Amino acid sequence: MGYRAELENLSRNRNAYVLALSASMGSIFYGWDTGLIGGVLSLPSFQQYFGVDKLSASAQANLNGNIVSVLTAGCFFGALSTGYISGRFGRKKPLIASGLIYLIGSIIQTVSGIGSSQVVALRVLYFSRFLGGFGLGMSTALIPSYVSECTPKSIRGRCTGFIQASNNLGIMLSFWVNYGSILHVPFGQLQWRLPFAIQIIPGVLFVLLMLPQPESPRWLAEQQRYEEAARSLAYAARSSVDDEAVVAILGEIKADLAGKERMPIWKQFHMMGESRVTALRSFIPSLVMLFQQWTGTNAINYFSPEIFAGLGITGTSSGLFATGIYGIAKVVAVTTAVIFAVEKLGRKMCLLIGGLGQGFMMLWIGGYSAIHPQTTVVPASYVSILAVYLYAIFYGIGYGPVPWIVASEVAPNHVRTAAMSLAIGVNWLFSFTISRVTPNLLEGIKYGTFLLFGVCCMLMSTWVYFFLPETKGYALEDIRFLFEKDMMVRALEDAPGGRVFLGGRRSIPVAELRKAATEDSTMVARSSDEKMSEEKVEATTQSV
């Protein structure tokens, strides 16, 4: 597709792009806090204010792990809460509420410790990070569903990918704010309070940008508010409610939700096990979110200054500068992948390239750290530092944006709220686990930390190769056909060289499965109508 066609695409779908970018602002403040805290923890002014500099190395590791992980604990509970909230109130209102909760938490973080003792200050910091995390968890659980439900299938992957691009933009900006603080803000409280204060800005923008956006058409259809659902679809497509495409999509949504409208969250969790296919599609979102965390990305996000120090970059300002470059690499990689790769290469190829690349980089860093445990700089140190940046690029191609896309697409429509809240809960649970144990792992097994993440990346790539079909180009209502028959055959058909394992076996085309399903539903409806007519005739005869 040439640049003219891209410009036409941008103009034609500009409402959908604006909607996706507005919702993705919530991911900027998620990334902002993720990248912010590692740099703040390394600031001497913060360490002195909270007494961290007086602790032993192991006690410092424990305290740092607590400060980082208490936010992810809040995110875990925030994500789980969205199952009920979004089913009852939709996607838009809870998203705005999540932004307000995040803002309150950020404000309290900024003022924590003013007029109180060191012990009380630390408690207030813990509370405010948990509260801000609750808002973050809500937003991360809701944004993928909201964007995927509102945007056309032709650009759905790109729009959902904006979530991770925004996340990494937030991480990068926070890295440079930390670097600017150490360079230009005098030693004192303002040096570490300023980064906390600046993170309020993306929260305010998120709330303001979400106010004019429409509600999810699929949630509206669940509530049988079909006229509003049609207006929401027409807004994203920049057409009228009478447009054939809008009418057709609404019809598909109605058919998919037939008999499942207004389903309470407890019933959604129960129905996740109604069949093998539904259970599998409900499980995959949690699995890919688990995989994202076990690539080790948040270990580097949270503790990059310590990791760069282990590779020979010493000094707080030098470590923060190296971390800032790492943030730029991630933003460029994720943005490029979202714009060009997820809709052209597809979800599966992006995960394969990204996962294998991340795995090799982690194994290299672990091997280098084992052979050269000293912090002195040798030629191989530069290769290892380059490996960290290459790791960021591979993450941007694969496990940065794509798990969010796959999770939101694969989850069944009628249990999407429950499946996504569970998936994001799993994401935050293991984000909490990794952020809590990484300081201790780096202190204890050292290079083994990187080897562990490297092996995990290789195992993930194996699963993607053999078991994940490609989902690009399919309507949300058609993705179920990828998993109903020949799932592993489809996965290998979509994998590079995968047909070698299949011989002459091939999967049934989705178009044929859709046609058969439509004919079956028509026959069932006709049979039901005939049965009702017979019962009416019999009742009339008996009354006569």
Side-chain angles (χ1 to χ4, degrees), residues 204-533:
V204 172
L205 290 174
F206 170 68
V207 172
L208 294 177
L209 288 171
M210 278 303 302
L211 288 174
Q213 300 306 321
E215 181 53 84
S216 160
R218 284 170 175 82
W219 181 79
L220 291 169
E222 286 178 7
Q223 311 305 307
Q224 299 181 354
R225 293 158 59 178
Y226 299 123
E227 291 183 5
E228 294 175 67
R231 287 198 296 271
S232 181
L233 288 168
Y235 170 82
R238 296 189 66 245
S239 61
S240 69
V241 293
D242 300 321
D243 185 271
E244 290 183 5
V246 171
V247 173
I249 294 172
L250 185 58
E252 291 174 2
I253 295 172
K254 286 181 180 180
D256 191 61
L257 293 173
K260 303 165 186 173
E261 299 87 348
R262 302 193 184 192
M263 191 181 300
I265 189 64
W266 63 266
K267 192 168 184 181
Q268 287 193 34
F269 278 108
H270 176 72
M271 290 194 71
M272 284 167 63
E274 66 183 356
S275 68
R276 181 189 66 83
V277 173
T278 302
L280 179 63
R281 292 178 63 197
S282 300
F283 170 70
I284 287 176
S286 295
L287 185 64
V288 292
M289 288 301 180
L290 172 72
F291 285 171
Q292 185 187 61
Q293 291 304 316
W294 281 102
T295 61
T297 180
N298 276 337
I300 295 182
N301 289 339
Y302 290 130
F303 304 104
S304 50
E306 291 91 331
I307 291 170
F308 280 117
L311 297 176
I313 297 179
T314 57
T316 304
S317 61
S318 298
L320 291 177
F321 179 79
T323 300
I325 300 297
Y326 174 79
I328 291 176
K330 288 184 74 173
V331 168
V332 172
V334 170
T335 304
T336 303
V338 166
I339 294 174
F340 299 108
V342 293
E343 297 296 358
K344 293 184 179 180
L345 291 179
R347 288 56 154 160
K348 187 183 183 82
M349 278 301 298
C350 286
L351 286 175
L352 285 174
I353 294 169
L356 291 173
Q358 283 182 268
F360 284 123
M361 294 307 105
M362 275 292 190
L363 292 175
W364 168 270
I365 296 169
Y368 164 80
S369 301
I371 296 170
H372 187 77
Q374 303 84 7
T375 57
T376 55
V377 177
V378 297
S381 302
Y382 298 108
V383 179
S384 297
I385 293 169
L386 177 63
V388 175
Y389 295 133
L390 289 174
Y391 173 90
I393 291 171
F394 284 118
Y395 172 79
I397 294 171
Y399 279 94
V402 180
W404 300 92
I405 299 170
V406 171
S408 61
E409 289 179 338
V410 170
N413 276 351
H414 65 292
V415 296
R416 178 175 283 112
T417 300
M420 286 303 296
S421 65
L422 182 62
I424 307 303
V426 167
N427 180 283
W428 283 115
L429 175 63
F430 283 93
S431 177
F432 168 81
T433 303
I434 290 170
S435 63
R436 181 63 191 83
V437 303
T438 294
N440 302 93
L441 290 175
L442 293 172
E443 178 71 19
I445 65 174
K446 302 185 188 317
Y447 67 87
T449 307
F450 306 107
L451 297 179
L452 171 64
F453 291 135
V455 170
C456 286
C457 289
M458 296 304 181
L459 293 175
M460 297 169 201
S461 299
T462 302
W463 178 84
V464 169
Y465 188 91
F466 286 99
F467 298 105
L468 182 66
E470 179 56 63
T471 57
K472 75 166 183 175
Y474 293 103
L476 291 178
E477 289 70 32
D478 286 343
I479 286 177
R480 65 187 177 95
F481 297 119
L482 302 178
F483 298 89
E484 285 185 349
K485 289 185 179 180
D486 306 320
M487 184 194 78
M488 192 170 175
V489 174
R490 293 182 194 282
L492 287 171
E493 284 178 341
D494 296 331
R499 299 199 177 200
V500 172
F501 298 96
L502 296 176
R505 190 177 176 188
R506 295 293 180 267
S507 62
I508 302 173
V510 168
E512 291 185 19
L513 294 175
R514 187 197 308 117
K515 182 180 178 181
T518 303
E519 291 174 352
D520 288 344
S521 62
T522 302
M523 290 177 64
V524 169
R526 186 179 302 158
S527 175
S528 177
D529 291 342
E530 290 174 355
K531 184 177 180 181
M532 289 176 63
S533 299

Side-chain angles (χ1 to χ4, degrees), residues 12-27:
R12 184 173 59 254
N13 295 296
R14 61 178 178 268
N15 285 1
Y17 283 126
V18 170
L19 179 148
L21 289 171
S22 299
S24 296
M25 282 298 299
S27 208

